[in-house]
Amino acid sequence: MSKRLLIYELKNMNGNFMVHFFGVIFPCFMSAVMTKAIGDSVPESMYGEVVTSIMLSMIMIIPMAICLIGYGCVYAGEVEKGIPLRMHLFGYDEKTLIGAKLIVHLLFMTAALIIYALFQMVFMDIQSPKPTALVCLLLFLYLIAACLLVLAHAIANLIRRFNIAYGILLGSYFFFMIISGMVGIQTSQLPKWLQVIAKALPMTYICNDYIDFWQGRSFPLMSFIQALIFFAALSGVLLIVSLYREKRVIK
Protein backbone atom coordinates (compact mmCIF):
# COMPACT_ATOMS: atom_id res chain seq x y z
CA MET A 1 0.00 0.00 0.00
CA SER A 2 1.56 3.28 -1.13
CA LYS A 3 0.89 6.97 -0.67
CA ARG A 4 0.13 7.20 -4.39
CA LEU A 5 -2.58 4.54 -4.09
CA LEU A 6 -4.20 6.33 -1.14
CA ILE A 7 -4.18 9.65 -3.04
CA TYR A 8 -5.73 7.91 -6.04
CA GLU A 9 -8.53 6.48 -3.88
CA LEU A 10 -9.07 9.86 -2.21
CA LYS A 11 -9.48 11.58 -5.58
CA ASN A 12 -11.81 8.79 -6.67
CA MET A 13 -14.01 9.28 -3.64
CA ASN A 14 -14.01 13.09 -3.79
CA GLY A 15 -15.28 12.93 -7.35
CA ASN A 16 -18.49 11.34 -6.10
CA PHE A 17 -21.04 14.03 -5.15
CA MET A 18 -23.26 11.40 -3.54
CA VAL A 19 -20.72 10.85 -0.74
CA HIS A 20 -20.57 14.55 0.11
CA PHE A 21 -24.31 15.16 -0.03
CA PHE A 22 -25.70 11.99 1.57
CA GLY A 23 -22.76 11.49 3.93
CA VAL A 24 -22.41 15.06 5.26
CA ILE A 25 -25.34 17.33 4.37
CA PHE A 26 -28.23 14.85 4.39
CA PRO A 27 -27.86 13.53 7.99
CA CYS A 28 -27.67 17.10 9.35
CA PHE A 29 -30.73 18.08 7.32
CA MET A 30 -32.69 14.98 8.36
CA SER A 31 -31.90 15.43 12.05
CA ALA A 32 -33.13 19.04 11.91
CA VAL A 33 -36.31 18.10 10.02
CA MET A 34 -37.11 15.13 12.27
CA THR A 35 -36.50 17.22 15.38
CA LYS A 36 -38.89 19.90 14.12
CA ALA A 37 -41.53 17.33 13.12
CA ILE A 38 -41.37 15.15 16.22
CA GLY A 39 -39.70 17.19 18.93
CA ASP A 40 -42.34 19.92 19.03
CA SER A 41 -45.10 17.38 19.73
CA VAL A 42 -43.55 15.83 22.88
CA PRO A 43 -43.63 17.12 26.46
CA GLU A 44 -40.84 19.50 27.44
CA SER A 45 -39.52 17.00 29.99
CA MET A 46 -38.89 14.45 27.22
CA TYR A 47 -37.60 16.89 24.59
CA GLY A 48 -33.89 16.35 25.28
CA GLU A 49 -34.21 12.56 25.15
CA VAL A 50 -36.23 12.67 21.92
CA VAL A 51 -33.78 15.03 20.19
CA THR A 52 -30.84 12.88 21.30
CA SER A 53 -32.58 9.73 20.07
CA ILE A 54 -33.13 11.38 16.66
CA MET A 55 -29.46 12.36 16.55
CA LEU A 56 -28.41 8.75 17.23
CA SER A 57 -30.74 7.47 14.51
CA MET A 58 -29.57 9.96 11.88
CA ILE A 59 -25.89 9.36 12.63
CA MET A 60 -26.27 5.90 11.07
CA ILE A 61 -26.89 7.56 7.72
CA ILE A 62 -23.23 8.64 7.61
CA PRO A 63 -21.54 5.19 7.37
CA MET A 64 -24.37 3.85 5.19
CA ALA A 65 -24.15 6.73 2.72
CA ILE A 66 -20.35 6.80 2.55
CA CYS A 67 -19.48 3.10 2.68
CA LEU A 68 -22.55 1.45 1.12
CA ILE A 69 -24.03 3.53 -1.70
CA GLY A 70 -21.20 6.07 -2.05
CA TYR A 71 -18.35 3.60 -2.27
CA GLY A 72 -20.41 0.83 -3.85
CA CYS A 73 -21.55 2.95 -6.79
CA VAL A 74 -18.04 4.21 -7.56
CA TYR A 75 -16.56 0.73 -7.32
CA ALA A 76 -19.37 -0.78 -9.43
CA GLY A 77 -18.48 1.69 -12.17
CA GLU A 78 -14.83 0.71 -11.88
CA VAL A 79 -15.67 -2.99 -12.12
CA GLU A 80 -17.76 -2.46 -15.24
CA LYS A 81 -14.83 -0.62 -16.87
CA GLY A 82 -12.32 -3.31 -15.83
CA ILE A 83 -10.23 -0.98 -13.65
CA PRO A 84 -9.67 -3.49 -10.77
CA LEU A 85 -8.39 -6.05 -13.27
CA ARG A 86 -5.87 -3.53 -14.59
CA MET A 87 -4.83 -2.70 -11.03
CA HIS A 88 -4.20 -6.41 -10.44
CA LEU A 89 -2.03 -6.56 -13.56
CA PHE A 90 0.04 -3.69 -12.14
CA GLY A 91 0.72 -5.72 -8.99
CA TYR A 92 -2.00 -4.51 -6.60
CA ASP A 93 -3.71 -7.50 -4.96
CA GLU A 94 -7.30 -7.47 -3.71
CA LYS A 95 -6.33 -7.12 -0.04
CA THR A 96 -4.26 -4.01 -0.75
CA LEU A 97 -6.99 -2.39 -2.82
CA ILE A 98 -9.70 -3.03 -0.23
CA GLY A 99 -7.39 -1.82 2.54
CA ALA A 100 -6.66 1.46 0.75
CA LYS A 101 -10.33 2.05 -0.03
CA LEU A 102 -11.30 1.30 3.57
CA ILE A 103 -8.70 3.70 5.02
CA VAL A 104 -9.74 6.56 2.75
CA HIS A 105 -13.46 6.11 3.36
CA LEU A 106 -13.03 5.81 7.14
CA LEU A 107 -10.96 9.01 7.14
CA PHE A 108 -13.69 10.78 5.22
CA MET A 109 -16.28 9.34 7.59
CA THR A 110 -14.29 10.77 10.51
CA ALA A 111 -14.50 14.23 8.95
CA ALA A 112 -18.25 13.76 8.34
CA LEU A 113 -18.78 12.70 11.98
CA ILE A 114 -16.92 15.79 13.22
CA ILE A 115 -19.10 18.06 11.07
CA TYR A 116 -22.23 16.25 12.26
CA ALA A 117 -21.16 16.55 15.91
CA LEU A 118 -20.48 20.29 15.54
CA PHE A 119 -23.89 20.76 13.91
CA GLN A 120 -25.59 18.91 16.77
CA MET A 121 -23.77 20.90 19.46
CA VAL A 122 -24.50 24.26 17.83
CA PHE A 123 -28.07 23.82 16.57
CA MET A 124 -29.59 20.84 18.42
CA ASP A 125 -30.36 20.53 22.13
CA ILE A 126 -28.86 17.07 22.68
CA GLN A 127 -28.04 15.52 26.03
CA SER A 128 -24.46 15.00 27.15
CA PRO A 129 -23.40 11.34 26.83
CA LYS A 130 -21.71 9.06 29.28
CA PRO A 131 -18.01 8.87 28.20
CA THR A 132 -18.18 5.09 27.76
CA ALA A 133 -21.27 5.38 25.56
CA LEU A 134 -19.57 7.93 23.30
CA VAL A 135 -16.42 5.83 22.88
CA CYS A 136 -18.43 2.68 22.19
CA LEU A 137 -20.61 4.51 19.68
CA LEU A 138 -17.57 5.57 17.65
CA LEU A 139 -16.16 2.05 17.77
CA PHE A 140 -19.47 0.54 16.67
CA LEU A 141 -19.84 3.06 13.83
CA TYR A 142 -16.42 2.22 12.40
CA LEU A 143 -17.05 -1.54 12.65
CA ILE A 144 -20.42 -1.20 10.92
CA ALA A 145 -18.85 1.05 8.26
CA ALA A 146 -16.19 -1.57 7.52
CA CYS A 147 -18.87 -4.26 7.14
CA LEU A 148 -20.90 -2.01 4.83
CA LEU A 149 -17.88 -1.30 2.62
CA VAL A 150 -17.07 -5.01 2.32
CA LEU A 151 -20.73 -5.71 1.51
CA ALA A 152 -20.77 -3.03 -1.20
CA HIS A 153 -17.49 -4.34 -2.62
CA ALA A 154 -18.89 -7.87 -2.80
CA ILE A 155 -22.17 -6.80 -4.44
CA ALA A 156 -20.31 -4.77 -7.09
CA ASN A 157 -17.98 -7.70 -7.81
CA LEU A 158 -20.86 -10.16 -8.07
CA ILE A 159 -23.11 -8.01 -10.29
CA ARG A 160 -20.37 -6.39 -12.45
CA ARG A 161 -22.93 -4.02 -14.00
CA PHE A 162 -23.18 -0.46 -12.69
CA ASN A 163 -26.93 0.06 -13.26
CA ILE A 164 -27.99 -3.18 -11.57
CA ALA A 165 -25.49 -2.83 -8.72
CA TYR A 166 -26.58 0.78 -8.15
CA GLY A 167 -30.21 -0.32 -7.91
CA ILE A 168 -29.41 -3.08 -5.42
CA LEU A 169 -27.20 -0.82 -3.28
CA LEU A 170 -29.71 2.02 -3.23
CA GLY A 171 -32.53 -0.40 -2.45
CA SER A 172 -30.48 -1.91 0.39
CA TYR A 173 -29.76 1.59 1.73
CA PHE A 174 -33.44 2.54 1.96
CA PHE A 175 -34.41 -0.93 3.21
CA PHE A 176 -31.90 -0.65 6.07
CA MET A 177 -33.15 2.87 6.85
CA ILE A 178 -36.78 1.78 7.02
CA ILE A 179 -36.47 -1.38 9.11
CA SER A 180 -33.83 0.10 11.43
CA GLY A 181 -36.13 2.94 12.47
CA MET A 182 -34.41 5.89 10.79
CA VAL A 183 -37.47 7.31 9.00
CA GLY A 184 -39.87 7.63 11.93
CA ILE A 185 -41.25 4.08 11.82
CA GLN A 186 -40.39 2.16 14.97
CA THR A 187 -39.07 -1.37 14.47
CA SER A 188 -41.80 -2.63 16.82
CA GLN A 189 -44.43 -1.31 14.38
CA LEU A 190 -43.19 -3.50 11.53
CA PRO A 191 -44.60 -6.93 10.62
CA LYS A 192 -43.13 -9.78 12.65
CA TRP A 193 -41.02 -11.17 9.80
CA LEU A 194 -39.49 -7.74 9.19
CA GLN A 195 -38.75 -7.39 12.91
CA VAL A 196 -36.75 -10.63 12.73
CA ILE A 197 -34.65 -9.20 9.90
CA ALA A 198 -34.27 -5.88 11.71
CA LYS A 199 -32.95 -7.57 14.85
CA ALA A 200 -30.25 -9.23 12.74
CA LEU A 201 -28.89 -5.80 11.74
CA PRO A 202 -26.57 -3.88 14.12
CA MET A 203 -27.95 -0.55 12.85
CA THR A 204 -31.31 -1.34 14.50
CA TYR A 205 -29.80 -1.35 17.99
CA ILE A 206 -28.10 2.00 17.47
CA CYS A 207 -31.31 3.62 16.24
CA ASN A 208 -33.70 2.10 18.78
CA ASP A 209 -31.81 1.21 21.94
CA TYR A 210 -28.61 3.25 22.11
CA ILE A 211 -30.35 6.20 23.76
CA ASP A 212 -30.55 4.06 26.92
CA PHE A 213 -26.79 3.48 26.91
CA TRP A 214 -26.25 7.19 26.13
CA GLN A 215 -28.10 8.09 29.32
CA GLY A 216 -26.38 5.46 31.46
CA ARG A 217 -29.09 2.82 31.37
CA SER A 218 -28.80 -0.79 30.17
CA PHE A 219 -28.17 -1.64 26.52
CA PRO A 220 -28.70 -5.05 24.84
CA LEU A 221 -24.97 -5.42 24.16
CA MET A 222 -24.98 -9.17 23.53
CA SER A 223 -27.81 -8.91 21.00
CA PHE A 224 -25.96 -6.07 19.28
CA ILE A 225 -22.70 -8.07 19.14
CA GLN A 226 -24.54 -11.09 17.72
CA ALA A 227 -26.10 -8.87 15.04
CA LEU A 228 -22.72 -7.31 14.26
CA ILE A 229 -21.06 -10.74 13.96
CA PHE A 230 -23.86 -11.96 11.69
CA PHE A 231 -23.62 -8.85 9.50
CA ALA A 232 -19.82 -9.13 9.32
CA ALA A 233 -20.06 -12.84 8.47
CA LEU A 234 -22.64 -12.17 5.75
CA SER A 235 -20.45 -9.47 4.22
CA GLY A 236 -17.36 -11.69 4.46
CA VAL A 237 -19.05 -14.68 2.84
CA LEU A 238 -20.34 -12.54 -0.04
CA LEU A 239 -16.84 -11.09 -0.49
CA ILE A 240 -15.27 -14.58 -0.65
CA VAL A 241 -17.89 -15.72 -3.16
CA SER A 242 -17.30 -12.61 -5.29
CA LEU A 243 -13.52 -13.09 -5.25
CA TYR A 244 -13.91 -16.75 -6.25
CA ARG A 245 -16.21 -15.73 -9.10
CA GLU A 246 -13.74 -13.03 -10.18
CA LYS A 247 -10.92 -15.59 -10.40
CA ARG A 248 -13.08 -17.80 -12.59
CA VAL A 249 -13.91 -14.82 -14.86
CA ILE A 250 -10.19 -13.93 -15.18
CA LYS A 251 -9.35 -17.53 -16.11
Side-chain angles (χ1 to χ4, degrees):
M1 189 179 300
S2 64
K3 180 180 177 181
R4 182 176 297 179
L5 178 61
L6 292 174
I7 293 174
Y8 164 77
E9 293 296 345
L10 182 61
K11 290 180 178 179
N12 235 4
M13 184 196 63
N14 277 328
N16 183 10
F17 171 75
M18 188 178 296
V19 170
H20 296 276
F21 178 77
F22 286 102
V24 180
I25 300 173
F26 188 63
C28 295
F29 171 77
M30 283 296 294
S31 65
V33 170
M34 294 290 286
T35 298
K36 183 64 178 176
I38 300 174
D40 291 349
S41 62
V42 299
E44 187 176 349
S45 59
M46 296 180 60
Y47 183 79
E49 181 175 345
V50 170
V51 172
T52 305
S53 181
I54 292 171
M55 179 274 294
L56 291 171
S57 295
M58 295 303 106
I59 200 173
M60 281 307 313
I61 294 177
I62 296 175
M64 287 173 54
I66 293 172
C67 294
L68 183 65
I69 57 171
Y71 167 73
C73 292
V74 171
Y75 184 68
E78 291 182 349
V79 171
E80 189 173 48
K81 296 173 183 175
I83 293 175
L85 177 58
R86 286 176 240 169
M87 297 291 283
H88 294 161
L89 295 176
F90 279 104
Y92 293 100
D93 59 16
E94 194 73 23
K95 182 172 67 174
T96 301
L97 292 176
I98 294 178
K101 294 173 186 297
L102 182 61
I103 289 172
V104 167
H105 282 76
L106 291 185
L107 287 174
F108 183 82
M109 192 180 91
T110 302
L113 288 172
I114 292 173
I115 294 171
Y116 184 75
L118 292 174
F119 177 85
Q120 297 298 322
M121 289 188 290
V122 173
F123 297 104
M124 301 288 109
D125 187 18
I126 63 171
Q127 297 174 333
S128 299
K130 299 296 181 182
T132 305
L134 180 59
V135 173
C136 289
L137 176 64
L138 293 175
L139 175 62
F140 295 157
L141 287 175
Y142 284 107
L143 290 174
I144 292 172
C147 294
L148 289 168
L149 187 139
V150 170
L151 178 64
H153 192 94
I155 290 174
N157 268 343
L158 285 170
I159 304 302
R160 310 190 72 83
R161 294 284 301 276
F162 171 78
N163 291 338
I164 301 175
Y166 177 74
I168 293 174
L169 292 167
L170 195 61
S172 300
Y173 171 78
F174 285 113
F175 179 72
F176 291 157
M177 283 186 66
I178 292 169
I179 69 171
S180 297
M182 297 184 206
V183 293
I185 302 174
Q186 294 294 320
T187 303
S188 58
Q189 297 174 317
L190 297 172
K192 294 294 183 183
W193 64 275
L194 274 179
Q195 291 185 35
V196 172
I197 298 175
K199 289 178 181 178
L201 298 174
M203 295 81 80
T204 302
Y205 297 91
I206 302 295
C207 296
N208 291 273
D209 303 309
Y210 207 82
I211 181 63
D212 294 328
F213 193 21
W214 191 267
Q215 296 179 324
R217 300 192 294 265
S218 61
F219 173 69
L221 183 60
M222 290 308 300
S223 297
F224 171 80
I225 292 176
Q226 290 174 356
L228 183 60
I229 291 174
F230 169 78
F231 195 59
L234 175 65
S235 302
V237 168
L238 286 176
L239 178 64
I240 292 171
V241 172
S242 71
L243 295 179
Y244 176 75
R245 182 183 181 280
E246 185 179 20
K247 288 181 181 178
R248 289 180 61 88
V249 170
I250 293 175
K251 288 180 180 180

